[in-house]
Amino acid sequence: MKVLVIGGGAREHALCRSLSLDPDVTALHCAPGNAGIAEVAELHPVDQLDGEAVARLATELGAELVVIGPEAPLVAGVADAVRAAGIPAFGPSREAAQLEGSKAFAKDVMAGAGVPTARSYVCTTPEEIDEALDAFGAPYVVKDDGLAAGKGVVVTEDVEQARAHALACDRVVIEEFLDGPEVSLFAITDGVTVLPLRPAQDFKRALDGDEGPNTGGMGAYSPLPWADPKLVDEVMDSVLQPTVDELRRRGTPFSGLLYAGLAITSRGVRVIEFNARFGDPETQVVLARLKTPLAGVLLNSANGTLDDQAPLSWSDEAAVTVVVASHNYPETPRTGDPIEGLAEIAEQDAPHAYVLHAGTKRDGDAIVSAGGRVLSVTATGTDLAQARERAYAAVGRIRLDGSQHRTDIARKAAEA
């Protein structure tokens, strides 16, 4: 099978790494990719938001499956253009991707499906914003209705900060605060059958102890030793299957990766948000534990034949990812700094630890930073403590001027 992956971050590197290990994949391409992905796939330039350009590239390459990584191309309808060219695409249609593209649409779908979530108001005027903030009180949860690359949500005790964020958005969702730990649960679906993956937890705040601003994610781990063993079955029954069924009922069937961001509250599981693609950095740890070859699973989703898929096989090992970010991330990250130490990790830490590139590019013989989140250092081990130790040992070899990373990823879970 010839596979084309669209995107250029650590999520796409994780997908390409897994696909490169699949014996059924005979040729692997990525557009636009990054310096790390270039080691396992052939790179091609493309405007990943241009559906016609992506479909044209897939046709030229003879691709038999196109895997669309990021949310923006999905919301732009790139999967529709690929399918219109007669090529199977892993990822939802433009209409179904509104589950991530619009928080208000997602809330409407959840109401129709009877999915438990936070009470909320959709606001478009300053008066509506003030009424909603007053109704819920602190802590305030304010979400930009549209795509914001993981940074459109403000959770704060400060009503003025909440109001300022709300006023900066065209349309905003203000909702009640959900207490309890957060869990990310991915499911692969063809619009009818739903196949859950293993849960993970990510760390959204920039600094240790969950301090600092929200980011796209500073690390993740899986499994969750503290979670109820019945959690996946419960979320399948109360969230994932009802949502897929509701979207099909509306005439906008969802195929691809359905990501449920969950809060395990004192009143039970509640959905914080849906995403329409693999999450970053949780994908890095979930795929590190998946033993089933990936390409066939994604192709079954794209072809509507997921009911033929054999049960997924998982490693009993734990996985931890630590994100190395550039200077001043998430505000105005500095780019162009040389990255050193990657060869040392490959020589001394493989196969238990490896580096997935997020924001990198090649500059002559050097690899330099090219984004806010630069690397996802991922490691596996017999338990979280060992995986964590291996991940941080590898992080310690990386030399990137001004870089930052959290030192407490998976610490509490490993010590529990």
Side-chain angles (χ1 to χ4, degrees):
M1 192 193 314
K2 294 179 183 175
V3 182
L4 169 63
V5 176
I6 301 301
R11 162 188 45 225
E12 288 76 35
H13 194 177
L15 287 163
C16 285
R17 179 181 182 273
S18 290
L19 289 165
S20 74
L21 298 172
D22 186 333
D24 288 337
V25 175
T26 52
L28 182 58
H29 303 271
C30 186
N34 62 39
I37 295 172
E39 295 173 15
V40 294
E42 186 180 337
L43 302 192
H44 305 270
V46 79
D47 176 356
Q48 57 185 348
L49 299 181
D50 183 340
E52 297 306 317
V54 171
R56 197 160 50 244
L57 174 62
T59 302
E60 288 168 6
L61 294 174
E64 293 153 284
L65 173 66
V66 176
V67 179
I68 300 165
E71 59 272 26
L74 293 167
V75 172
V78 170
D80 302 281
V82 172
R83 281 191 275 265
I87 302 168
F90 179 80
S93 66
R94 180 202 303 264
E95 285 189 41
Q98 285 303 305
L99 200 62
E100 176 168 4
S102 167
K103 303 285 191 299
F105 176 78
K107 287 287 186 184
D108 190 55
V109 170
M110 283 188 267
V115 168
T117 186
R119 293 180 301 122
S120 63
Y121 295 103
V122 179
C123 308
T124 54
T125 68
E127 294 75 24
E128 289 173 346
I129 288 166
D130 287 341
E131 284 176 23
L133 292 172
D134 289 344
F136 288 129
Y140 303 98
V141 181
V142 184
K143 299 180 175 181
D144 189 333
D145 181 52
L147 289 181
K151 303 190 200 87
V153 180
V154 165
V155 181
T156 179
E157 298 279 345
D158 183 342
V159 70
E160 290 307 321
Q161 185 186 0
R163 182 179 286 115
H165 182 64
L167 290 170
C169 305
D170 287 336
R171 188 158 79 147
V172 69
V173 174
I174 296 174
E175 63 184 38
E176 67 175 327
F177 177 76
L178 296 174
D179 64 332
E182 294 186 14
V183 173
S184 301
L185 184 60
F186 303 160
I188 292 172
T189 179
D190 59 4
V192 178
T193 302
V194 180
L195 196 64
L197 306 186
R198 290 293 162 89
Q201 186 173 57
D202 77 330
F203 294 75
K204 294 186 174 66
R205 298 283 185 173
L207 307 176
D208 284 8
D210 293 327
E211 299 289 331
N214 253 351
T215 72
M218 294 298 289
Y221 70 92
S222 178
L224 313 181
W226 49 267
D228 186 328
K230 299 191 293 291
L231 176 65
V232 173
D233 291 340
E234 181 188 339
V235 176
M236 265 292 290
D237 293 342
S238 66
V239 175
L240 297 170
Q241 192 70 58
T243 300
V244 168
D245 292 345
E246 173 68 12
L247 285 162
R248 188 175 68 255
R249 187 188 68 76
R250 290 171 175 233
T252 53
F254 186 106
S255 76
L257 195 290
L258 177 59
Y259 164 143
L262 308 165
I264 313 300
T265 76
S266 52
R267 293 172 293 147
V269 174
R270 298 286 184 273
V271 174
I272 301 169
E273 65 176 355
F274 282 124
N275 290 327
R277 39 72 195 180
F278 279 102
D280 183 343
E282 301 98 316
T283 300
Q284 289 85 304
V285 292
V286 173
L287 291 185
R289 300 184 60 217
L290 179 64
K291 291 166 70 175
T292 301
L294 184 61
V297 186
L298 303 186
L299 186 63
N300 278 333
S301 164
N303 284 338
T305 53
L306 209 52
D307 58 343
D308 296 337
Q309 176 67 45
L312 298 180
S313 175
W314 295 92
S315 166
D316 291 330
E317 288 200 317
V320 172
T321 286
V322 179
V323 170
V324 177
S326 55
H327 176 72
N328 207 35
Y329 175 75
E331 303 305 325
T332 48
R334 192 173 77 207
T335 58
D337 289 310
I339 304 163
E340 297 177 338
L342 300 175
E344 292 166 39
I345 295 171
E347 287 168 12
Q348 300 180 45
D349 301 286
H352 303 297
Y354 49 89
V355 178
L356 298 167
H357 291 231
T360 69
K361 67 177 182 181
R362 191 163 279 285
D363 183 8
D365 290 336
I367 292 176
V368 301
S369 60
R373 291 186 295 172
V374 182
L375 305 168
S376 282
V377 180
T378 302
T380 55
T382 53
D383 56 20
L384 284 174
Q386 186 181 53
R388 201 174 171 277
E389 188 180 315
R390 287 171 168 172
Y392 278 107
V395 168
R397 302 191 202 281
I398 291 167
R399 297 179 295 284
L400 171 62
D401 187 45
S403 69
Q404 53 175 315
H405 64 271
R406 282 184 58 159
T407 65
D408 62 348
I409 303 300
R411 179 192 286 152
K412 277 186 192 169
E415 293 171 352

